[in-house]
Amino acid sequence: MPTNAQLESLYRVAFQLTYMMLQPIHLICVDSRTRNVYILAGHNEELEFQILPNGEFF
C-alpha cells in the first residue's frame, strides 16, 4: 500500500502527465520489495518515474 506522501506525488505526476503534457499512463505499480511506486507513461512508454516512500520522485 502506498504512503500518503506517495499518493500526493502520484496525483501531481499523473495530473501533469495527462492534463498538461497529454501523455497516456500505461502502468502504475508498487514494488513490494522497495515500497517504491513505479509509473510507466508516454505514447511510446518512454517516460518512467519512481516515487520513493517519502514522496520524492525521479
Coordinates of all heavy atoms in Angstrom, one line a residue:
M1 N 0.8 -1.2 0.0 CA 0.0 0.0 0.0 C 0.9 1.3 0.0 O 1.8 1.4 0.8 CB -0.9 0.0 1.2 CG -2.0 1.0 1.2 SD -3.1 0.5 0.0 CE -4.5 1.5 0.4
P2 N 0.6 2.2 -0.9 CA 1.4 3.4 -0.9 C 1.2 4.3 0.3 O 0.1 4.3 0.9 CB 0.9 4.1 -2.2 CG -0.1 3.3 -2.8 CD -0.4 2.1 -1.9
T3 N 2.2 5.1 0.6 CA 2.1 6.0 1.7 C 1.3 7.2 1.3 O 1.1 7.5 0.1 CB 3.5 6.5 2.2 OG1 4.2 7.2 1.1 CG2 4.4 5.3 2.6
N4 N 0.9 8.1 2.2 CA 0.2 9.3 1.9 C 1.1 10.2 1.0 O 0.6 10.9 0.1 CB -0.2 10.0 3.2 CG -1.4 9.3 3.8 OD1 -2.1 8.6 3.2 ND2 -1.6 9.6 5.1
A5 N 2.4 10.3 1.4 CA 3.3 11.1 0.6 C 3.4 10.6 -0.9 O 3.4 11.4 -1.8 CB 4.7 11.2 1.2
Q6 N 3.4 9.3 -1.0 CA 3.5 8.7 -2.4 C 2.2 9.0 -3.2 O 2.2 9.4 -4.4 CB 3.7 7.2 -2.3 CG 5.1 6.8 -2.0 CD 5.3 5.3 -1.9 OE1 4.4 4.7 -1.2 NE2 6.3 4.8 -2.4
L7 N 1.1 8.9 -2.5 CA -0.2 9.2 -3.2 C -0.3 10.7 -3.6 O -0.8 11.0 -4.7 CB -1.4 8.9 -2.3 CG -1.6 7.4 -2.0 CD1 -2.7 7.2 -1.0 CD2 -1.9 6.6 -3.3
E8 N 0.2 11.6 -2.8 CA 0.2 13.0 -3.2 C 1.1 13.3 -4.4 O 0.7 14.0 -5.3 CB 0.6 13.9 -2.0 CG -0.4 13.9 -0.9 CD 0.1 14.7 0.3 OE1 1.1 15.4 0.2 OE2 -0.5 14.6 1.4
S9 N 2.3 12.6 -4.4 CA 3.2 12.8 -5.5 C 2.6 12.1 -6.8 O 2.7 12.7 -7.9 CB 4.5 12.2 -5.2 OG 5.2 12.9 -4.2
L10 N 2.0 11.0 -6.6 CA 1.4 10.3 -7.7 C 0.3 11.1 -8.3 O 0.2 11.2 -9.6 CB 0.8 8.9 -7.3 CG 0.0 8.1 -8.3 CD1 0.9 7.8 -9.5 CD2 -0.6 6.9 -7.7
Y11 N -0.5 11.8 -7.5 CA -1.6 12.7 -8.1 C -0.9 13.8 -8.9 O -1.4 14.1 -10.0 CB -2.4 13.2 -6.9 CG -3.5 14.1 -7.4 CD1 -4.7 13.6 -7.9 CD2 -3.4 15.5 -7.4 CE1 -5.7 14.4 -8.4 CE2 -4.4 16.3 -7.9 CZ -5.5 15.8 -8.3 OH -6.5 16.6 -8.8
R12 N 0.1 14.4 -8.3 CA 0.7 15.6 -9.0 C 1.3 15.1 -10.4 O 1.2 15.8 -11.4 CB 1.8 16.2 -8.2 CG 1.3 17.1 -7.1 CD 2.4 17.9 -6.5 NE 3.6 17.2 -6.2 CZ 3.9 16.7 -5.0 NH1 3.1 16.9 -4.0 NH2 5.0 16.0 -4.8
V13 N 2.0 14.0 -10.4 CA 2.7 13.4 -11.6 C 1.6 13.1 -12.6 O 1.7 13.4 -13.8 CB 3.6 12.2 -11.3 CG1 4.1 11.6 -12.5 CG2 4.8 12.7 -10.4
A14 N 0.6 12.4 -12.2 CA -0.5 11.9 -13.1 C -1.2 13.1 -13.7 O -1.5 13.1 -14.9 CB -1.5 11.0 -12.3
F15 N -1.5 14.2 -12.9 CA -2.1 15.4 -13.4 C -1.3 16.0 -14.5 O -1.7 16.4 -15.5 CB -2.4 16.3 -12.3 CG -3.0 17.6 -12.7 CD1 -4.4 17.7 -13.0 CD2 -2.2 18.8 -12.9 CE1 -5.0 18.9 -13.4 CE2 -2.8 19.9 -13.4 CZ -4.2 20.0 -13.6
Q16 N 0.0 16.2 -14.2 CA 0.9 16.8 -15.1 C 1.0 16.0 -16.4 O 1.0 16.5 -17.5 CB 2.3 17.1 -14.5 CG 2.3 18.1 -13.5 CD 3.7 18.3 -12.8 OE1 4.6 17.6 -13.1 NE2 3.8 19.4 -12.0
L17 N 1.1 14.7 -16.3 CA 1.3 13.8 -17.5 C 0.0 13.9 -18.3 O 0.1 14.0 -19.6 CB 1.5 12.4 -17.1 CG 3.0 12.0 -16.6 CD1 3.0 10.6 -16.0 CD2 3.9 12.2 -17.8
T18 N -1.2 13.7 -17.7 CA -2.4 13.6 -18.5 C -3.0 14.9 -19.0 O -3.4 15.0 -20.1 CB -3.4 12.8 -17.8 OG1 -3.7 13.4 -16.5 CG2 -2.9 11.3 -17.6
Y19 N -3.0 15.9 -18.1 CA -3.7 17.1 -18.4 C -2.8 18.2 -19.0 O -3.2 19.0 -19.9 CB -4.4 17.7 -17.2 CG -5.6 16.9 -16.8 CD1 -5.6 16.1 -15.7 CD2 -6.8 16.9 -17.6 CE1 -6.6 15.3 -15.4 CE2 -7.8 16.1 -17.3 CZ -7.8 15.3 -16.1 OH -8.8 14.5 -15.8
M20 N -1.5 18.2 -18.6 CA -0.6 19.3 -19.0 C 0.2 18.8 -20.2 O 0.4 19.6 -21.2 CB 0.3 19.7 -17.9 CG -0.4 20.0 -16.6 SD -0.8 21.7 -16.1 CE 0.6 22.7 -16.4
M21 N 0.7 17.6 -20.2 CA 1.6 17.1 -21.3 C 0.8 16.2 -22.3 O 1.4 15.8 -23.3 CB 2.7 16.3 -20.6 CG 3.6 17.1 -19.7 SD 4.8 16.2 -18.8 CE 5.8 15.4 -20.2
L22 N -0.4 15.8 -21.9 CA -1.3 15.0 -22.8 C -0.6 13.6 -23.1 O -0.7 13.2 -24.3 CB -1.7 15.7 -24.1 CG -2.4 17.0 -23.9 CD1 -2.6 17.7 -25.2 CD2 -3.7 16.8 -23.1
Q23 N 0.0 13.0 -22.1 CA 0.7 11.7 -22.3 C -0.2 10.7 -21.6 O -0.7 10.9 -20.5 CB 2.1 11.8 -21.6 CG 3.0 12.8 -22.3 CD 3.4 12.3 -23.7 OE1 3.6 11.2 -23.9 NE2 3.5 13.3 -24.5
P24 N -0.3 9.5 -22.2 CA -1.0 8.4 -21.5 C -0.2 7.7 -20.5 O 1.0 7.7 -20.6 CB -1.3 7.4 -22.7 CG -0.2 7.7 -23.6 CD 0.1 9.1 -23.5
I25 N -0.8 7.2 -19.4 CA -0.2 6.4 -18.4 C -0.5 5.0 -18.7 O -1.7 4.6 -18.8 CB -0.7 6.9 -17.0 CG1 -0.2 8.3 -16.7 CG2 -0.1 5.9 -15.9 CD1 -0.8 8.9 -15.4
H26 N 0.5 4.1 -18.8 CA 0.3 2.7 -19.1 C 0.3 1.8 -17.9 O -0.4 0.8 -17.9 CB 1.4 2.2 -20.1 CG 1.4 3.0 -21.4 ND1 0.5 2.6 -22.4 CD2 2.1 4.0 -21.9 CE1 0.7 3.4 -23.4 NE2 1.6 4.3 -23.1
L27 N 1.1 2.2 -16.9 CA 1.2 1.3 -15.8 C 1.6 2.0 -14.5 O 2.4 3.0 -14.5 CB 2.4 0.2 -16.1 CG 2.7 -0.7 -14.9 CD1 1.6 -1.7 -14.8 CD2 4.0 -1.4 -15.3
I28 N 0.9 1.7 -13.4 CA 1.3 2.2 -12.1 C 1.3 1.0 -11.2 O 0.4 0.2 -11.1 CB 0.3 3.2 -11.5 CG1 0.2 4.4 -12.4 CG2 0.6 3.6 -10.1 CD1 -0.9 5.4 -12.1
C29 N 2.4 0.8 -10.5 CA 2.5 -0.4 -9.6 C 3.4 -0.1 -8.4 O 4.2 0.8 -8.5 CB 3.0 -1.6 -10.3 SG 4.7 -1.5 -10.9
V30 N 3.3 -0.9 -7.4 CA 4.1 -0.7 -6.2 C 5.0 -1.9 -6.1 O 4.6 -3.1 -6.1 CB 3.2 -0.6 -4.9 CG1 4.1 -0.5 -3.7 CG2 2.3 0.5 -5.0
D31 N 6.3 -1.7 -5.9 CA 7.3 -2.8 -5.8 C 7.2 -3.2 -4.3 O 7.5 -2.4 -3.4 CB 8.7 -2.3 -6.1 CG 9.7 -3.4 -6.1 OD1 9.5 -4.5 -5.5 OD2 10.8 -3.2 -6.6
S32 N 6.9 -4.5 -4.0 CA 6.7 -4.9 -2.7 C 8.0 -5.0 -1.9 O 8.1 -5.0 -0.7 CB 6.0 -6.3 -2.7 OG 6.8 -7.2 -3.4
R33 N 9.2 -5.1 -2.6 CA 10.5 -5.2 -2.0 C 11.0 -3.8 -1.5 O 11.4 -3.7 -0.4 CB 11.5 -5.8 -2.9 CG 11.2 -7.2 -3.3 CD 12.1 -7.7 -4.5 NE 11.8 -6.9 -5.7 CZ 12.7 -6.5 -6.5 NH1 14.0 -6.7 -6.3 NH2 12.3 -5.8 -7.6
T34 N 10.9 -2.8 -2.4 CA 11.4 -1.5 -2.1 C 10.3 -0.5 -1.6 O 10.6 0.6 -1.1 CB 12.1 -0.9 -3.3 OG1 11.1 -0.7 -4.3 CG2 13.3 -1.7 -3.8
R35 N 9.0 -0.8 -1.8 CA 7.9 0.0 -1.5 C 7.8 1.3 -2.4 O 7.2 2.2 -2.0 CB 7.9 0.4 0.0 CG 8.0 -0.8 1.0 CD 6.8 -1.6 1.1 NE 5.7 -0.8 1.5 CZ 4.4 -1.1 1.4 NH1 4.1 -2.3 0.9 NH2 3.4 -0.4 1.9
N36 N 8.6 1.3 -3.5 CA 8.5 2.4 -4.4 C 7.3 2.2 -5.4 O 7.0 1.1 -5.8 CB 9.8 2.5 -5.3 CG 11.0 2.8 -4.4 OD1 10.9 3.2 -3.3 ND2 12.2 2.6 -5.0
V37 N 6.8 3.4 -5.8 CA 5.7 3.4 -6.8 C 6.3 3.7 -8.1 O 7.1 4.6 -8.3 CB 4.6 4.4 -6.5 CG1 3.6 4.5 -7.6 CG2 3.9 4.1 -5.1
Y38 N 6.0 2.8 -9.1 CA 6.6 3.0 -10.5 C 5.5 3.4 -11.4 O 4.4 2.9 -11.4 CB 7.2 1.7 -11.0 CG 8.4 1.3 -10.2 CD1 8.4 0.4 -9.2 CD2 9.7 1.8 -10.6 CE1 9.5 0.1 -8.5 CE2 10.8 1.5 -9.9 CZ 10.7 0.6 -8.8 OH 11.8 0.3 -8.1
I39 N 5.8 4.4 -12.3 CA 4.9 4.9 -13.3 C 5.5 4.7 -14.7 O 6.7 5.2 -14.9 CB 4.5 6.3 -13.1 CG1 4.0 6.5 -11.7 CG2 3.5 6.8 -14.1 CD1 3.9 8.0 -11.3
L40 N 4.8 4.1 -15.6 CA 5.3 4.0 -17.0 C 4.3 4.8 -17.9 O 3.1 4.5 -17.8 CB 5.4 2.5 -17.4 CG 5.9 2.2 -18.8 CD1 7.3 2.7 -19.0 CD2 5.7 0.8 -19.1
A41 N 4.8 5.8 -18.6 CA 3.9 6.6 -19.3 C 4.5 7.0 -20.7 O 5.7 6.7 -21.0 CB 3.6 7.9 -18.5
G42 N 3.8 7.8 -21.5 CA 4.2 8.3 -22.8 C 3.6 7.5 -23.9 O 3.3 6.3 -23.7
H43 N 3.6 8.1 -25.0 CA 3.0 7.4 -26.2 C 3.7 6.2 -26.6 O 3.1 5.2 -27.1 CB 2.9 8.4 -27.4 CG 1.9 9.5 -27.1 ND1 0.5 9.3 -27.1 CD2 2.1 10.8 -26.9 CE1 -0.1 10.4 -26.8 NE2 0.9 11.4 -26.7
N44 N 5.0 6.2 -26.4 CA 5.9 5.0 -26.7 C 6.5 4.4 -25.4 O 7.5 3.7 -25.5 CB 7.0 5.4 -27.7 CG 6.5 5.8 -29.0 OD1 5.6 5.2 -29.5 ND2 7.0 6.9 -29.5
E45 N 5.8 4.6 -24.3 CA 6.3 4.1 -23.0 C 7.7 4.6 -22.7 O 8.5 3.8 -22.1 CB 6.1 2.6 -22.9 CG 4.7 2.1 -23.1 CD 4.6 0.6 -23.1 OE1 5.6 -0.1 -22.9 OE2 3.4 0.2 -23.2
E46 N 8.0 5.8 -23.1 CA 9.4 6.3 -22.9 C 9.6 7.1 -21.6 O 10.7 7.4 -21.2 CB 9.8 7.2 -24.1 CG 9.1 8.5 -24.1 CD 7.8 8.5 -24.8 OE1 7.2 7.4 -25.2 OE2 7.2 9.6 -25.1
L47 N 8.5 7.3 -20.8 CA 8.6 8.1 -19.6 C 8.5 7.2 -18.4 O 7.5 6.4 -18.3 CB 7.5 9.2 -19.5 CG 7.5 10.2 -20.7 CD1 6.3 11.1 -20.6 CD2 8.8 11.0 -20.6
E48 N 9.5 7.2 -17.5 CA 9.5 6.3 -16.3 C 9.7 7.2 -15.1 O 10.6 8.0 -15.1 CB 10.6 5.3 -16.4 CG 10.4 4.3 -17.6 CD 11.6 3.4 -17.7 OE1 12.2 3.1 -16.6 OE2 11.9 2.9 -18.7
F49 N 8.9 7.0 -14.1 CA 9.0 7.7 -12.8 C 9.0 6.7 -11.7 O 8.4 5.6 -11.8 CB 7.9 8.6 -12.6 CG 7.8 9.7 -13.6 CD1 7.0 9.6 -14.8 CD2 8.5 10.9 -13.5 CE1 7.0 10.6 -15.7 CE2 8.4 11.9 -14.4 CZ 7.7 11.8 -15.5
Q50 N 9.7 7.0 -10.6 CA 9.8 6.2 -9.4 C 9.5 7.1 -8.3 O 10.2 8.1 -8.1 CB 11.2 5.6 -9.4 CG 11.3 4.5 -8.3 CD 12.7 3.9 -8.4 OE1 13.1 3.3 -7.4 NE2 13.4 3.9 -9.5
I51 N 8.5 6.8 -7.4 CA 8.2 7.6 -6.3 C 8.6 6.9 -5.0 O 8.2 5.7 -4.8 CB 6.7 8.0 -6.2 CG1 6.3 8.7 -7.5 CG2 6.4 8.8 -5.0 CD1 4.8 8.9 -7.6
L52 N 9.5 7.5 -4.2 CA 10.0 6.8 -3.0 C 9.0 6.9 -1.9 O 8.1 7.7 -2.0 CB 11.3 7.6 -2.6 CG 12.4 7.6 -3.6 CD1 13.6 8.4 -3.1 CD2 12.9 6.2 -4.0
P53 N 9.1 6.1 -0.9 CA 8.1 6.2 0.2 C 8.0 7.5 0.9 O 6.9 7.8 1.4 CB 8.7 5.1 1.2 CG 9.4 4.1 0.4 CD 10.0 5.0 -0.7
N54 N 9.0 8.4 0.8 CA 8.9 9.7 1.4 C 8.2 10.7 0.5 O 8.1 11.9 0.8 CB 10.2 10.2 1.9 CG 11.2 10.4 0.7 OD1 10.9 10.2 -0.4 ND2 12.4 10.8 1.1
G55 N 7.8 10.3 -0.8 CA 7.1 11.2 -1.7 C 8.0 11.8 -2.8 O 7.5 12.4 -3.7
E56 N 9.3 11.7 -2.6 CA 10.2 12.2 -3.6 C 10.2 11.3 -4.9 O 10.0 10.1 -4.8 CB 11.6 12.3 -3.1 CG 11.8 13.3 -2.0 CD 13.2 13.4 -1.5 OE1 14.1 12.9 -2.2 OE2 13.4 13.9 -0.4
F57 N 10.3 11.9 -6.0 CA 10.4 11.1 -7.3 C 11.5 11.5 -8.2 O 12.1 12.6 -8.1 CB 9.0 11.2 -8.0 CG 8.7 12.5 -8.6 CD1 9.0 12.8 -9.9 CD2 8.0 13.4 -7.8 CE1 8.7 14.1 -10.4 CE2 7.7 14.7 -8.3 CZ 8.0 15.0 -9.6
F58 N 11.9 10.5 -9.0 CA 12.9 10.8 -10.1 C 12.6 9.9 -11.2 O 11.8 9.0 -11.2 CB 14.3 10.6 -9.5 CG 14.6 9.3 -8.9 CD1 15.1 8.2 -9.6 CD2 14.3 9.1 -7.5 CE1 15.4 7.0 -9.0 CE2 14.6 7.9 -6.9 CZ 15.1 6.8 -7.7

